[in-house]
Amino acid sequence: MRSRPTLEWAPGPEVLALEPGATDVGPVAELVAAGGVVVLSGAGLSTESGIPDYRGETGSLRTHTPMTYGDFVASESGRQRYWARSHLGWRTIARAAPNSGHAAVATLQARGLVSGVITQNVDGLHQAAGARDVIELHGNLDRVICLNCGTTSPRELLDQRLRDANRTFTAEATRINPDGDVELPDEVVRTFTVVPCTVCGGVLKPDVVFFGENVPKNRVERCYTLIDDANALLVLGSSLTVMSGFRFVRYAAKAGTPVLIINQGLTRGDPYATVRVQLPLGQALTELVEKTSGPSHA
């Protein structure tokens, strides 16, 4: 039986005993300037683009339970709830623009200092900012996959089909969540029509990894390969609560690779960190770009 996923993490004494994170990115800049840095980003990097995270001061887990894989595949009502809410939320994410933090990561990569980018986010903002060859650990909301035949298709096509099937659906999004979900009353959800796969009539799912679902093995192996060749792992805006990202921090630390964490608030990976910085991501990464300026290392 599949267990319920870990959605929250409470810091233990090994984390609470640590000194507060620094507010100077200088030590991070010294290691980044040497190049060979792999970035691991989380929802905190996208908050300045208007997409709230799960666990920060205004984190959506305070009022929102994300869709799990088990709930999605178990019932038609679960899928109706997801698609009604996501239909509205995706429009907000599709309109979101990269912020200065995303731009900074792309700049560091263009300079040859960042050798790889792994993101836990599903918003595509790293690529929109110009980052290349991003490993989307949890997929991307702009793709849809059929659970029956495996056909993938652009989210824009599904969006139009859902609009056509729900011409009288007039609900409006209020709060957007990192998974593209919004809050809607049950009575509104029940008026929403879900459409099937156009190829086989099967169940459509966003091409993202839901809570409780496994990240594809080949994707995980690509991440390990990047970290094997890295001089440092730079964690940006992630509490590292879920194992899908946390395992890479443990892996790097065990190999003796420096782990650098920039995040507002405590993280599950803090005991493994060489350097910890607590600053807003946009500010910290803009400073990091300035402190590592110079000729390209590519």
Side-chain angles (χ1 to χ4, degrees):
M1 177 180 293
R2 184 183 294 271
S3 61
R4 298 291 292 180
T6 300
L7 301 181
E8 298 188 68
W9 160 77
E14 75 283 358
V15 173
L16 295 174
L18 296 172
E19 293 293 324
T23 56
D24 176 18
V25 300
V28 174
E30 291 180 10
L31 289 165
V32 171
V37 176
V38 170
V39 165
L40 171 63
S41 68
L45 186 61
S46 293
T47 56
E48 293 174 41
S49 293
I51 304 173
D53 63 11
Y54 282 117
R55 302 174 179 87
E57 292 182 3
T58 59
S60 65
L61 277 182
R62 296 173 186 268
T63 58
H64 166 69
T65 300
M67 174 61 71
T68 66
Y69 182 76
D71 291 340
F72 186 86
V73 300
S75 69
E76 291 185 14
S77 62
R79 294 189 287 275
Q80 183 184 43
R81 178 175 77 87
Y82 176 82
W83 281 119
R85 293 155 60 132
S86 181
H87 179 56
L88 298 179
W90 177 74
R91 299 176 197 173
T92 301
I93 288 184
R95 289 193 299 265
N99 61 54
S100 57
H102 297 109
V105 171
T107 296
L108 293 171
Q109 186 184 44
R111 289 181 183 169
L113 300 179
V114 166
S115 57
V117 178
I118 304 166
T119 186
Q120 299 172 91
N121 300 338
V122 294
D123 51 36
L125 293 179
H126 273 299
Q127 296 92 317
R132 307 180 309 275
D133 302 320
V134 177
I135 298 179
E136 296 175 315
L137 194 63
H138 297 154
N140 195 309
L141 282 172
D142 68 2
R143 297 185 302 270
V144 179
I145 186 168
C146 174
L147 294 182
N148 183 51
C149 69
T151 298
T152 57
S153 56
R155 181 66 177 263
E156 289 89 346
L157 295 180
L158 176 63
D159 183 63
Q160 187 57 58
R161 292 181 63 209
L162 290 173
R163 287 172 186 261
D164 291 342
N166 294 276
R167 293 187 181 278
T168 61
F169 187 74
T170 57
E172 295 183 1
T174 52
R175 180 188 181 93
I176 182 70
N177 298 302
D179 55 358
D181 202 355
V182 301
E183 300 300 323
L184 282 181
D186 289 343
E187 59 269 23
V188 175
V189 167
R190 286 193 290 268
T191 69
F192 191 79
T193 299
V194 178
V195 298
C197 173
T198 57
V199 176
C200 72
V203 171
L204 293 176
K205 173 183 171 291
D207 195 11
V208 300
V209 177
F210 281 165
F211 284 94
E213 185 178 6
N214 293 324
V215 178
K217 185 177 180 180
N218 63 338
R219 197 177 299 170
V220 174
E221 291 303 322
R222 287 174 60 203
C223 295
Y224 282 135
T225 298
L226 274 181
I227 296 169
D228 281 338
D229 296 332
N231 293 326
L233 177 64
L234 175 59
V235 180
L236 303 175
S238 176
S239 65
L240 301 167
T241 294
V242 296
M243 184 57 68
S244 61
F246 178 51
R247 60 183 152 191
F248 300 125
V249 168
R250 294 200 308 188
Y251 182 81
K254 184 176 180 180
T257 301
V259 174
L260 321 173
I261 298 178
I262 304 178
N263 187 64
Q264 288 193 284
L266 301 174
T267 86
R268 193 178 177 188
D270 286 353
Y272 301 89
T274 306
V275 181
R276 295 162 46 241
V277 174
Q278 291 204 36
L279 284 174
L281 269 295
Q283 173 189 341
L285 290 172
T286 298
E287 291 181 13
L288 186 60
V289 167
E290 293 171 352
K291 290 180 180 292
T292 56
S293 60
S296 171
H297 292 67

